[in-house]
Amino acid sequence: MNSCDLYLAFNAIDDDILEQSEYEVRTVSFWARHHLLKRCVAACLAVVIVFTGLMSVEACRKKVIDVITQIFPGAISFLYSTDVEPKYTVVPEVDLTYIPAGFDLTESKETENRTYILYENDNTQFFEFRQSLLLPTGSAVSLIDTENTEEEHFYIGADEAVAYIGSAQQMVLWTHENIRCRVYGNIGIDELKKIASAVVIKEPAAADKLLVCYAESDGGNATIVPDYFPNEIDRDYENLAGTEMYSSGKLTFSVNWDAEELIVGENYYERTSPDSVMIHQETYTLLPNADGNFELKVIYKNPGEEEKAIYFIQGESGKYLMKLVFKGDEEHEVINLPKDLGQVKSYSYDLDYDGIPETVELVTHSEEVSQSVWFELQVKKADGTILWKDEAYTAHSGYNSLFVCKLDGKDYLLQYYPTMYQGSCNYGYQLFSFDAQGNVLVHREASISFDINWDYWLNEEFDAESVADFMDEVNGLLATSKLLLSTDSALADIDPEHPQDIPWWLLDETYCAGYIYDGSKSLRENLLALGKIVNEG
Amino acid sequence: MEDSQIVDLYWRKDANAIKESDAKYGAYCYAIADNILQNSEDSEECVNDTWLHAWNAMPPQKPSKLRLFLAKITRNLSFNRFNARSAQKRGSGEIVFVLDELTECIAHAESAEQEYEVKELEQCIRLFVRALPQRERNVFVRRYFYTEPVAAIAKRYNLTESNTLAILSRTRKKLKTHLTREGFFSEQL
């Protein structure tokens, strides 16, 4: 088989799939001036609905939200996005100052990006309020069933709102600065409009977590001046919207949280496409300069217009914040090596049970030529000879995490690897000690494989019970452990003194639609809840 | 004229079938051909050949979606013409990048020589594409069926180019995994 065969095989794609790809998406700004009257919304693929410009031209110019509208039979989809400096960088506190009589609060959830509040009464009536944060690097979608629905435009303060009026349920949609708001329920549009009009969105609190990036380039296209990146965008750097700069340049970052270092991932490609051959990859640490800022300077080693370097900056949560693409033709140089180069951290544990504690040392190494950093855990006998050692690298394939675990009065080493490649997971651990010669004696071990590509149709059911069993087992061991060494980005947030692991994909509410981690419930309960949604759809 | 009426003309071997096809879908088929061939003369010839092939195909075929039926004919003809060019004349059109990208989906050279049925591969691709989430599916189809440039796809769906490239890369990896699992390549050890 070759690529031509594969290309020709695409001829077998079904016609309805080809047809679906042929729609286009139009961007409509809120400050468009077309009027939309109160009327029944008919299904029409050719019509693009524009939000009315009922306000004055001055008021229209203040709008910052772009809305992309797609019309489908019986439904409208609105895609909200913004590219202006956000007023809010985390979802603000909100007060629902009008609640109809007889309704009680039954659910309330909040994350950095979303709020959800549900009220119900005893007569199966309900209304819910949602707000979503819109940032320059993200977007939000509303899909509305418009079959037999009337719509009406009005104002909530200075914000333009639209009400959708169905026989069974109704909805009010509006945006306030970069917050998208929605009130939805079955209590009649007049009550929903009153509730929406009485929503008070508080002013943003100070010191939201941000990475602010300034850039200088000695070529063209230095456009990151400034740019804002909230603390958590995505787990997978491929999903980051990259910002491109041409030619070499210097980036300066500032962060408004207490960061002693930033982790930088650097991928260097032979061609300008991100899918080209990667010829260099490493992860290293940036330390702040005297002003408390972080500097990254990129100059190319091998000139040529077909080269590209992509940098990923990791935030406080361990997730990727920013992707920067440099294309250039000058010598490559990396600055800001870790200050603790060559330092040794040392502990004492009896790991071969001869009554004499061994010295467990964590050693940091740096390669002079590549300037990459790697780590070594050495177990030394009393006479200084190495009984055992293991290495850890910051590149994905070299991740390693080692803990010292106390069990039944004895010390063990615990190696835990929550490995994932493109959603295919293999989590495992080994609890081990040594004999007098330094041979590893495994006392307990377990592993589990599963796949978190929920939308892949060939995937088997997600066995939440088995994953919960494994996580309970490993967290049981971690509860009596202390962290010695970890280069695994999945464990970047683990408490070194009281380690416990909650899988990051469980905490990422964007990873599985309809599931949000509930901190009041156990890890097992959350896994089972996720499994129910994933398997039942 | 409605598609069903044009198809009827083909079935009745009425020469107006070609005139009506050209009037309704000439530009559409030309765009598909030009995405591949990047040459107006060659593209026009492929479009003309499309009508001939459609004439020969109907009857017995009676497509319900004439536009896509013609699109597939044009695509095949254009690609065959591209392959027939000498290596020097293939140039650097979009199809070159598309084929290069699809090479990533073929696991490794040693295992790509396994025998397979063309129909099995087509069915595999068909089901794979159908199972994709809608946005990924649309982007993937525009690129690898319609051979559209990335910039055009990004503009069509109001995405950034880097986001479009990321979607394509991710989906190609899924396709590679899918082809491997379906047995078109040996599993790598």
Side-chain angles (χ1 to χ4, degrees), chain A residues 1 5 7 11 13-16 19-22 25 68 238-239 271 275 422 455-457, chain B residues 28 65 67 72 75 100 112 126 130-131 137 146-147 156-158 166 169-170 172-173 178 181:
Chain A
M1 185 199 303
D5 299 327
Y7 180 80
N11 253 29
I13 293 175
D14 294 327
D15 288 350
D16 63 315
E19 207 167 32
Q20 281 172 23
S21 77
E22 289 181 345
V25 171
I68 300 168
E238 284 188 347
N239 289 328
R271 282 177 55 190
D275 304 310
Q422 296 171 2
D455 57 353
Y456 186 55
W457 65 290
Chain B
Y28 175 77
K65 292 189 183 352
R67 181 177 79 258
K72 290 179 179 179
R75 184 178 183 267
D100 198 34
R126 181 181 150 263
R130 181 166 279 281
R137 182 171 65 218
Y146 289 99
T147 323
R156 175 184 287 273
Y157 298 125
N158 206 48
S169 173
R170 193 170 58 236
R172 281 198 303 274
K173 284 182 182 135
H178 183 59
R181 287 182 183 178

Side-chain angles (χ1 to χ4, degrees), chain A residues 60-120:
Chain A
C60 281
R61 286 208 189 99
K62 289 178 185 170
K63 282 292 183 183
V64 297
I65 305 296
D66 283 333
V67 182
I68 300 168
T69 310
Q70 291 175 254
I71 315 295
F72 299 97
I76 297 178
S77 161
F78 301 104
L79 175 67
Y80 299 82
S81 63
T82 179
D83 59 3
V84 301
E85 183 176 323
K87 178 175 179 181
Y88 297 93
T89 52
V90 292
V91 76
E93 283 186 42
V94 64
D95 277 337
L96 273 58
T97 60
Y98 170 71
I99 306 295
F103 282 82
D104 296 314
L105 177 68
T106 56
E107 196 169 343
S108 177
K109 292 179 187 173
E110 188 175 297
T111 67
E112 271 195 3
N113 298 321
R114 290 189 189 89
T115 300
Y116 174 73
I117 299 171
L118 174 67
Y119 278 83
E120 295 175 307

Side-chain angles (χ1 to χ4, degrees), chain A residues 396-467:
Chain A
H396 193 178
S397 55
Y399 284 169
N400 198 354
S401 302
L402 289 158
F403 305 77
V404 61
C405 179
K406 187 82 111 179
L407 207 60
D408 300 326
K410 285 185 172 178
D411 294 326
Y412 299 85
L413 286 186
L414 172 67
Q415 184 181 52
Y416 171 46
Y417 51 91
T419 309
M420 187 183 81
Y421 284 92
Q422 296 171 2
S424 181
C425 300
N426 178 32
Y427 281 32
Y429 77 83
Q430 273 197 340
L431 188 73
F432 58 98
S433 62
F434 308 102
D435 65 16
Q437 287 73 45
N439 297 312
V440 170
L441 305 173
V442 178
H443 296 265
R444 274 171 65 177
E445 62 183 342
S447 65
I448 185 167
S449 295
F450 53 95
D451 199 306
I452 59 172
N453 289 304
W454 314 124
D455 57 353
Y456 186 55
W457 65 290
L458 283 183
N459 267 349
E460 296 171 356
E461 279 206 350
F462 174 60
D463 187 353
E465 282 273 9
S466 297
V467 174

Side-chain angles (χ1 to χ4, degrees), chain B residues 76-93:
Chain B
N76 263 1
L77 291 172
S78 304
F79 189 64
N80 290 340
R81 185 171 284 239
F82 164 80
N83 270 334
R85 286 175 178 168
S86 63
Q88 294 94 323
K89 288 187 181 173
R90 283 182 195 160
S92 60

